[in-house]
Amino acid sequence: MYITHNSAVMAEAGAEGPTSTMLQLAPMNTLISTCSSALRALYTQVMTLSTILLI
């Protein structure tokens, strides 16, 4: 549980900031960047859990 929480918090902390070059594009904003990093962490954790349970 701690490792899962830690990886989720680090993914949120590592999200792109408002001064990033990627966020200079019109359709991209900080909320989308934060949500995408959270979904990436969730996807990684779900795939890891699925792999462990299948093996």
Side-chain angles (χ1 to χ4, degrees):
M1 293 287 288
Y2 175 74
I3 293 171
T4 303
H5 173 71
N6 192 20
S7 66
V9 169
M10 292 305 292
E12 291 297 315
E16 298 286 335
T19 58
S20 172
T21 56
M22 184 60 127
L23 294 179
Q24 300 300 324
L25 299 171
M28 189 71 173
N29 60 23
T30 308
L31 181 65
I32 294 173
S33 175
T34 304
C35 289
S36 68
S37 66
L39 286 175
R40 181 182 59 201
L42 179 65
Y43 175 76
T44 303
Q45 292 166 3
V46 167
M47 291 306 290
T48 303
L49 181 65
S50 299
T51 303
I52 290 171
L53 288 177
L54 286 175
I55 291 176

